[in-house]
Each structure stands twice: as C-alpha cells, then as structure tokens.
Amino acid sequence: MTSSLARQLADAVRGQAVHAGTAEPAIRGANWRLATVASVGTDGTITTTDGIVARRTGDYLGAAAGQVVRVGESSTGNWLSDGPLGTGSGAWTGIPLTSGWTATAGYYTPAYQLLGDGTASLSGMASMSGALAAGTTVATLPAEARPASRVRATVQVAAAAGVGYYGVMTIQPDGTIILGDFDAALPGTGSKYAQFDVFGRYRLT
C-alpha cells in the first residue's frame, strides 16, 4: 500500500469516527497553545481570558480560574484542553511536626507532595508518648499544601494489650492536622500515632 493511499484510508476512518461522535481527531502538537482560565463551566468546559470555550479532557481534573492551560483546536473546529502546566515538582517535602511528635522509626518521615492536577499527597508516620487529647494538632502544612475545605480520614492512633484504638485525622484549611473523634478512651501511657499515609491524595481546591 502506498503512503498516499494509507494516508487517505486513515483520514477516512478518522472522519467516520468523528461523524459518529465516537472520537475527537487528534490535535497536532503545533496547534496547541497556552491560555489562562477565566471561568469553569458546569458542563465540563472552561472559558479562557481570550474568550475560547474548550472542553476538558478526562484527565483534566481540578479546573480553576487562573490556571495556565494548554488548549488546542481540532480539525472539526472544537477546542479541547488537557489541563494546566505541571506545578508539582514531584519531590517530597518534610512536614513541620508539633512539639512532642517525632518521625516514627522504620517508617517514612512525614512529608507532602504537590501533584500537577490540583491535588497533594501525604506520607509517613509520627508518634508521641503519653496522653493524647482529642483535637491535638500533630503538624501544620505550608500554604501550598492546604486544602480549601476540611479533609478527614480514619486512622489507628494507639494499640494496647492487643486492642486497637481509632480516631479521625483531619486536615484543616489553615493547614493544621489534628486527631480526634476517638472510638474509645485512649490509654494514658504508651505511644500514640499519626498516620499521614491515609491521605494518599486529597484536593487542594
């Protein structure tokens, strides 16, 4: 098959897919450009500051005004956006722990990671000895890793005589990470734990 004939066949197949509404033609790299999001629609679109209305691809989550995104025009004249430029370095940054809490030996040191899709991750474990009161602040996240609303997860906070004690770990919008809502009165002695790994991923906006 000649290259010309193969090209014509590929174009025909692509055209049929578009006509059937099953696919959007691929956008050539040269047709992508940068734009700033002005507003986010409830129908899966964004509107840029220069008036382009683009549909978000399935990977574009956490759209927000002010993001610098890639937009591209397909051969059908529709605009698409595959999301913002990466803002997360992928590096893990240590989390400042409150006095009395230390990184638990044998586990990752508590840290956060910013991801490019408007989310963040926490990792590691910290511990302290003695009494643990409900509402105790374990650590405080820097502004870049703070969620816009509260994020909660169930964690094991202590163990004694083969019994596990559980509570809720909450990340507050001001960055404080607190423990509370215990399922039973905690032992007054022994180690208490803060398991940051429960927040494998959470929204920032």
Side-chain angles (χ1 to χ4, degrees):
M1 181 182 294
T2 66
S3 60
S4 176
L5 182 58
R7 202 164 39 244
Q8 292 176 19
L9 179 59
D11 289 342
V13 171
R14 188 180 304 111
Q16 287 297 319
V18 173
H19 180 71
T22 58
E24 181 70 31
I27 298 175
R28 298 171 184 170
N31 290 339
W32 287 106
R33 69 178 182 81
L34 299 181
T36 301
V37 177
S39 62
V40 180
T42 58
D43 58 351
T45 63
I46 58 169
T47 301
T48 66
T49 54
D50 52 354
I52 292 173
V53 178
R55 179 162 297 282
R56 291 184 285 135
T57 63
D59 293 330
Y60 183 7
L61 306 175
Q67 291 176 336
V68 177
V69 300
R70 291 203 320 164
V71 294
E73 186 177 14
S74 72
S75 59
T76 63
N78 297 318
W79 286 90
L80 298 175
S81 177
D82 62 355
L85 299 181
T87 54
S89 66
W92 289 98
T93 303
I95 299 171
L97 299 174
T98 300
S99 177
W101 289 87
T102 59
T104 306
Y107 294 84
Y108 288 114
T109 298
Y112 70 89
Q113 179 189 50
L114 299 179
L115 304 172
D117 63 351
T119 64
S121 293
L122 301 187
S123 178
M125 181 180 287
S127 56
M128 58 89 73
S129 297
L132 175 62
T136 294
T137 296
V138 179
T140 301
L141 292 169
E144 64 180 3
R146 297 174 183 175
S149 298
R150 293 176 182 173
V151 183
R152 291 162 52 92
T154 301
V155 294
Q156 182 173 345
V157 295
V163 177
Y165 296 83
Y166 294 83
V168 174
M169 196 169 183
T170 304
I171 307 177
Q172 304 276 27
D174 64 0
T176 55
I177 302 175
I178 63 175
L179 290 172
D181 295 342
F182 305 133
D183 65 343
L186 303 183
T189 60
S191 296
K192 309 300 185 299
Y193 304 99
Q195 302 172 331
F196 293 88
D197 290 316
V198 296
F199 295 105
R201 198 166 202 162
Y202 63 94
R203 287 177 54 181
L204 293 174
T205 58

